[in-house]
Amino acid sequence: MNNKVFAIKKITLSSTAVSIIWEDNKKSLFHFLWLRDNCPTSFHPDTRMRIFNILSVSKDIYPMKIKKEYNRLIIHWSENNHISKYDLKWLRNHCYTNKNSQSTVSKKIFWKNNLKSKLSLISFNYEKIIKYEKNFIQWLELLTSYGVTIIKQSPTTTNSGFKILKKIGTYRETFFGTPFEVANIPKPNNQAYTSDALSNHTDLPYYEYVPGYQFLHCLKNNAKGGNSTIVDGFSVANYLKKNEKEIFNILTNTEVKFKDNDYTQKSLRIFYSPIIKLNLQKNFDEIRINLGAMATLDIKSNKMKRFYEAYRFFYSLLHNKKYLVEFRLKKGDLLCFDNRRILHGRASFNPHSGNRHLQGYYIEREEIYSKLNYLKKILI
Ligand code: OGA
Ligand code: ZN
């Protein structure tokens, strides 16, 4: 950035804020309490945490004197004889008047079945990600924008998926254990542990906080059948938002009952949530949908009919060719996806025709975003 951006042309004071006009003619307002709260002395030099208590000054604190000195702004405060010295670059970078979004989390790219022809775009080589930071960052960026990537040629020894998770941060434990073994077993405690087809779903919707990302590591896949499917739940929800407003309202506003009644567990998990959850900015936060984990519904009787219509409509779109990408996991592939956005499924397979064994891991979204913040040196 050129130096004009960080140089001050003019400083004025209003009754609540310092107004700065920068040399590039952009204007920033900095409110008195905000400035006092963010004085460099407010932070512990080692812990980097704020030690300044906002109640140690009054709400009426104001600058008695203010001046520019080289590349700093100096403020003498009206209380406690305190002097604050702000680096101009820091101030400009933290201007909240023209909010410059500092999030390193790349913008989400919604996709449909056209991703099928671009699978190479979301495919990465394991060794490169492990060895080179540049490739590691690229992979994480794509993972957060498309919500899905495939890491190829990874080692296939038992539990070897841990290495990539530990490179990111802390994995998320669940009662299924880490990793969980996706294979056809006798007396299965989950549909995934059969050779049956799994329609597109998100995992563990009965948790209050559903695991953010899921990594499915393919160790063996030489049985007949068992192809994988993925669908961008946000992309389909976005279609509803634009074209089927009533259905969208029902799916974002109806709390649906999810449950897990696993016979190996001494707990009965129940959680209510809308199928499409929005955040305060009305952006998509998460999708929860899972045929096997949907409980016996107890929606109000005057809402039940319309709910089932809306649910059926969404569910059929989530299996529509227009949105679906089908592919086959190969030994050594690590399918990584946002479990609160991307649905996954599989075709049935013949367990007598060969072996199919995946190991699954969960890791939170925040672990991935935090690693990106760190590697991309986001300003704080
Ligand atoms: C799962 C799952 C898909 C597969 O374990 O949650 O959906 O391909 N597995 O076996
Ligand atoms: Zn699953």
Side-chain angles (χ1 to χ4, degrees):
M1 242 187 251
N2 76 45
N3 283 341
K4 275 189 167 181
V5 172
F6 301 117
I8 289 181
K9 192 185 250 179
K10 195 172 170 206
I11 305 172
T12 48
L13 281 185
S14 74
S15 59
T16 54
V18 175
S19 158
I20 291 180
I21 296 175
W22 303 90
E23 286 291 350
D24 67 348
N25 290 320
K26 287 272 186 316
K27 186 176 164 180
S28 302
L29 283 184
F30 295 106
H31 289 83
F32 300 156
L33 275 174
W34 183 94
L35 280 166
R36 180 60 191 90
D37 197 26
N38 289 295
C39 171
T41 61
S42 295
F43 300 89
H44 189 285
D46 296 322
T47 70
R48 304 172 182 175
M49 294 168 84
R50 179 179 278 100
I51 45 176
F52 173 73
N53 185 331
I54 196 66
L55 298 181
S56 66
V57 294
S58 79
K59 68 176 177 29
D60 302 318
I61 188 170
Y62 65 93
M64 287 205 308
K65 265 193 254 165
I66 184 160
K67 64 176 176 187
K68 186 176 71 170
E69 200 180 85
Y70 305 109
N71 55 354
R72 291 192 302 185
L73 182 77
I74 318 283
I75 296 181
H76 288 234
W77 292 103
S78 59
E79 294 181 19
N80 305 335
N81 255 330
H82 190 77
I83 299 175
S84 297
K85 299 174 180 176
Y86 305 91
D87 178 57
L88 292 186
K89 203 166 169 180
W90 183 91
L91 266 184
R92 178 69 195 248
N93 283 332
H94 290 80
C95 162
Y96 51 90
T97 312
N98 311 294
K99 199 163 186 288
N100 47 345
S101 168
Q102 288 185 12
S103 169
T104 54
V105 177
S106 350
K107 236 176 117 56
K108 291 193 170 46
I109 298 169
F110 295 166
W111 49 266
K112 298 182 187 166
N113 66 355
N114 59 345
L115 189 70
K116 171 84 183 167
S117 59
K118 289 196 269 176
L119 277 185
S120 58
L121 180 81
I122 58 156
S123 298
F124 290 80
N125 173 270
Y126 177 85
E127 277 307 314
K128 280 193 178 161
I129 292 178
I130 293 287
K131 263 200 197 139
Y132 306 111
E133 189 170 294
K134 192 180 115 223
N135 296 78
F136 185 50
I137 293 176
Q138 262 176 8
W139 167 59
L140 290 174
E141 283 183 324
L142 243 94
L143 188 55
T144 53
S145 58
Y146 283 82
V148 58
T149 59
I150 306 171
I151 301 178
K152 315 285 281 183
Q153 286 112 26
S154 71
T156 52
T157 46
T158 312
N159 296 357
S160 52
F162 270 124
K163 189 161 174 182
I164 194 93
L165 277 108
K166 287 185 178 161
K167 197 170 158 66
I168 302 169
T170 312
Y171 62 87
R172 163 83 181 262
E173 191 60 277
T174 74
F175 64 85
F176 287 109
T178 308
F180 51 93
E181 309 289 343
V182 186
N184 179 48
I185 57 167
K187 250 193 131 350
N189 59 332
N190 192 286
Q191 273 313 110
Y193 307 158
T194 68
S195 57
D196 297 348
L198 299 174
S199 56
N200 296 331
H201 64 279
T202 59
D203 275 15
L204 318 186
Y206 39 77
Y207 270 103
E208 179 177 0
Y209 192 67
V210 177
Y213 278 81
Q214 180 171 171
F215 288 14
L216 283 174
H217 189 197
C218 180
L219 302 186
K220 287 180 199 153
N221 194 11
N222 54 30
K224 266 209 168 111
N227 278 3
S228 302
T229 49
I230 46 170
V231 173
D232 185 352
F234 285 0
S235 178
V236 181
N238 201 38
Y239 171 84
L240 297 183
K241 185 178 178 180
K242 290 195 172 135
N243 301 289
E244 299 288 347
K245 294 202 170 27
E246 196 194 337
I247 291 177
F248 186 72
N249 282 339
I250 292 172
L251 296 176
T252 47
N253 289 309
T254 309
E255 290 208 307
V256 169
K257 185 177 183 180
F258 295 99
K259 68 125 187 19
D260 182 65
N261 188 14
D262 181 323
Y263 80 84
T264 66
Q265 299 300 306
K266 289 194 168 63
S267 48
L268 176 52
R269 294 171 195 275
I270 295 172
F271 196 75
Y272 286 84
S273 172
I275 285 178
I276 302 171
K277 198 167 158 213
L278 305 177
N279 64 18
L280 278 181
Q281 291 80 40
K282 302 274 181 227
N283 292 323
F284 298 120
D285 186 13
E286 65 178 12
I287 308 286
R288 296 186 193 222
I289 202 150
N290 187 318
L291 190 133
M294 192 119 144
T296 300
L297 298 184
D298 52 3
I299 295 161
K300 278 205 172 101
S301 74
N302 62 348
K303 303 253 161 97
M304 193 62 91
K305 180 172 177 288
R306 287 299 290 133
F307 171 77
Y308 264 108
E309 284 164 6
Y311 168 48
R312 281 174 60 99
F313 192 91
F314 188 41
Y315 206 63
S316 78
L317 272 189
L318 290 169
H319 293 84
N320 188 307
K321 275 205 186 83
K322 216 173 128 184
Y323 290 101
L324 201 81
V325 173
E326 188 187 335
F327 60 100
R328 187 172 180 82
L329 281 175
K330 289 200 185 75
K331 181 182 163 95
D333 285 357
L334 238 165
L335 176 65
C336 313
F337 55 93
D338 183 336
N339 178 54
R340 290 160 61 194
R341 166 181 171 187
I342 308 293
L343 288 81
H344 62 289
R346 71 156 188 244
S348 62
F349 59 94
N350 179 349
H352 309 295
S353 64
N355 290 314
R356 188 179 192 278
H357 181 200
L358 315 180
Q359 287 194 308
Y361 304 80
Y362 299 111
I363 186 163
E364 299 304 356
R365 282 179 178 167
E366 63 222 20
E367 292 297 301
I368 290 173
Y369 298 163
S370 310
K371 184 53 78 183
L372 266 176
N373 287 341
Y374 178 79
L375 292 174
K376 293 183 79 181
K377 302 183 175 56
I378 190 171
L379 300 160
I380 49 164

